[in-house]
Amino acid sequence: MASSLAAVTAESRPTFSIHWILGLEMEKSGNSVDLHRPWTEMGAEKENRNKRVCSKPFHCSEEVNSPQPSSSWYVGRRPRTAFTNSQVSVLETVFQVNCYPGIQLRERLAQRLDLEEDRIQIWFQNRRAKLRRSLRESSLQLVQTTVNDLQAGNKVRDQLELTSHLLVSDHE
Amino acid sequence: MASSLAAVTAESRPTFSIHWILGLEMEKSGNSVDLHRPWTEMGAEKENRNKRVCSKPFHCSEEVNSPQPSSSWYVGRRPRTAFTNSQVSVLETVFQVNCYPGIQLRERLAQRLDLEEDRIQIWFQNRRAKLRRSLRESSLQLVQTTVNDLQAGNKVRDQLELTSHLLVSDHE
DNA sequence: TTTTAATCTAATTAT
DNA sequence: ATAATTAGATTAAT
């Protein structure tokens, strides 16, 4: 609420400082206000993009030429959430019933498990991906098995054909 | 915090009620604990997909029992956030500088604009998609213009060729 | 009708 | 192994 008020105060003014908005973030990048849109140069440097030497684009825009993967002062990614066994247990149970929980159920789960709603959302997305993956794999395995069985069947048939051919030849 | 305690209490018990977990959500679906995984029956109903009966998995299961697919969808969806002009203004300004804000900047923006961090994340995702779309369109238009120019150039060249041919023919 | 917030998948990155 | 992020495609609210 207090932060909201501060924001509104600044927002009502047409010109506001980018430094004020970015706060501490600006200290590290200095005054350079360079755009970071790696996907505009798609074909050119795939390596740089894939490597994502700097998951914090802001600070590392100059690092495109000098990659320092192990700059540990900050990583732009949200720290990995470590779900407890109990939390996963509940989530798995709910997933069995409904793997596309709506906002109400997600909020409820967030409250009951003391997690943010978005963590729930992401968990279900990843869980569905996992299930799809396993289903794909098992169906692939089914195909493999079927192919193998067919091949085995063919071998038997070939054996039979060979035998019958020999018998026929024997008779002729 | 209180909800956390409640959750832990229930979690520590190996057997917990699915109804307790789902709470009010269960009222709608009754006692039937039917799985909802529309993508497991992918190949089976291609017609439905083409007919656009339900392209979202969510309505599919609901639609079986309820005749109002549209009303059942938006109850499950988070209510659309209405950003104020001021909020968008700040977001746009930050976007000019960094369209891939890390977790710190996202949290800072969330605090200052009185929004959830995930709303910020989603806003930037949609904003990047919009920018990419506009870039694609403008580059497409560039191609169109180039093609048109080339065609116009060809016409001029054809005119010149025709003229010279007539002149040559005239001399022969 | 247009714009865009929310949701989803698929692939990937990174812990 | 899986949480987090991205692009891209849709859906649906304004």
Side-chain angles (χ1 to χ4, degrees):
Chain A
M1 290 297 174
S3 62
S4 166
L5 246 114
V8 168
T9 306
E11 287 160 33
S12 56
R13 199 184 316 150
T15 59
F16 42 78
S17 163
I18 184 68
H19 297 89
W20 178 82
I21 294 165
L22 300 175
L24 299 175
E25 302 269 333
M26 281 309 286
E27 298 173 7
K28 285 163 185 168
S29 64
N31 289 331
S32 70
V33 181
D34 33 66
L35 298 167
H36 180 256
R37 290 168 195 163
W39 36 269
T40 57
E41 62 236 28
M42 263 312 187
E45 11 248 314
K46 267 199 163 184
E47 282 76 356
N48 284 343
R49 210 184 152 280
N50 289 341
K51 268 189 274 174
R52 285 187 76 73
V53 263
C54 42
S55 30
K56 190 78 183 76
F58 215 164
H59 305 151
C60 310
S61 46
E62 67 279 1
E63 275 184 64
V64 173
N65 300 324
S66 61
Q68 301 164 7
S70 59
S71 57
S72 57
W73 41 270
Y74 176 63
V75 172
R77 193 178 268 240
R78 167 186 293 273
R80 190 186 173 96
T81 304
F83 296 105
T84 66
N85 287 338
S86 313
Q87 286 169 333
V88 172
S89 175
V90 174
L91 290 169
E92 287 284 358
T93 303
V94 174
F95 186 83
Q96 292 293 321
V97 179
N98 180 8
C99 68
Y100 290 97
I103 183 63
Q104 283 194 357
L105 182 45
R106 291 204 305 272
E107 294 281 16
R108 183 182 311 281
L109 280 166
Q111 281 181 12
R112 300 233 169 151
L113 302 182
D114 195 26
L115 292 163
E116 298 162 64
E117 182 269 326
D118 191 41
R119 296 314 101 214
I120 309 288
Q121 176 86 301
I122 298 294
W123 188 90
F124 273 86
Q125 283 176 7
N126 283 319
R127 187 64 186 77
R128 288 195 300 268
K130 180 184 174 183
L131 179 53
R132 278 192 300 270
R133 205 186 312 127
S134 74
L135 286 173
R136 256 194 302 264
E137 277 168 13
S138 56
S139 82
L140 228 155
Q141 205 152 29
L142 179 64
V143 171
Q144 287 286 3
T145 309
T146 308
V147 169
N148 288 343
D149 289 357
L150 283 170
Q151 285 178 340
N154 287 346
K155 276 180 188 164
V156 170
R157 192 201 59 196
D158 292 349
Q159 284 277 0
L160 287 171
E161 277 184 6
L162 183 60
T163 307
S164 67
H165 183 264
L166 288 173
L167 288 172
V168 169
S169 301
D170 223 26
H171 273 284
E172 280 175 337
Chain B
M1 286 297 172
S3 61
S4 166
L5 246 112
V8 168
T9 306
E11 286 158 33
S12 56
R13 201 182 317 148
T15 60
F16 42 79
S17 164
I18 186 68
H19 297 90
W20 177 84
I21 293 166
L22 298 176
L24 299 175
E25 300 272 331
M26 283 310 286
E27 297 174 7
K28 288 166 186 167
S29 60
N31 290 330
S32 69
V33 182
D34 40 313
L35 295 169
H36 181 253
R37 288 170 196 162
W39 34 268
T40 56
E41 60 233 33
M42 259 313 184
E45 5 254 318
K46 275 197 170 179
E47 299 84 62
N48 284 344
R49 250 184 66 215
N50 291 339
K51 266 187 272 174
R52 201 201 151 277
V53 174
C54 51
S55 32
K56 270 298 179 195
F58 219 159
H59 336 126
C60 286
S61 69
E62 310 240 45
E63 225 176 323
V64 174
N65 300 325
S66 86
Q68 295 121 343
S70 55
S71 65
S72 57
W73 165 247
Y74 69 75
V75 294
R77 189 181 268 234
R78 167 186 292 273
R80 189 186 172 97
T81 304
F83 296 107
T84 65
N85 288 339
S86 312
Q87 288 169 332
V88 172
S89 175
V90 173
L91 291 169
E92 286 285 356
T93 304
V94 173
F95 187 82
Q96 291 294 320
V97 179
N98 180 8
C99 67
Y100 290 97
I103 182 65
Q104 281 196 354
L105 182 45
R106 291 202 306 272
E107 293 279 17
R108 183 183 310 281
L109 281 166
Q111 282 181 11
R112 301 232 169 154
L113 302 182
D114 196 25
L115 293 164
E116 298 163 65
E117 182 269 326
D118 190 41
R119 296 313 101 212
I120 309 289
Q121 176 86 302
I122 299 293
W123 187 90
F124 274 86
Q125 284 175 7
N126 284 318
R127 188 62 187 78
R128 287 196 301 269
K130 180 184 174 183
L131 179 53
R132 280 191 302 271
R133 205 185 315 126
S134 74
L135 287 173
R136 234 176 273 134
E137 277 170 10
S138 56
S139 82
L140 227 154
Q141 204 153 28
L142 181 64
V143 170
Q144 287 286 4
T145 307
T146 308
V147 168
N148 287 344
D149 289 357
L150 284 171
Q151 286 179 339
N154 287 348
K155 277 180 185 164
V156 170
R157 192 203 59 199
D158 292 349
Q159 283 279 0
L160 287 171
E161 277 183 6
L162 181 59
T163 307
S164 68
H165 183 266
L166 288 173
L167 287 171
V168 169
S169 302
D170 223 25
H171 273 284
E172 278 174 343

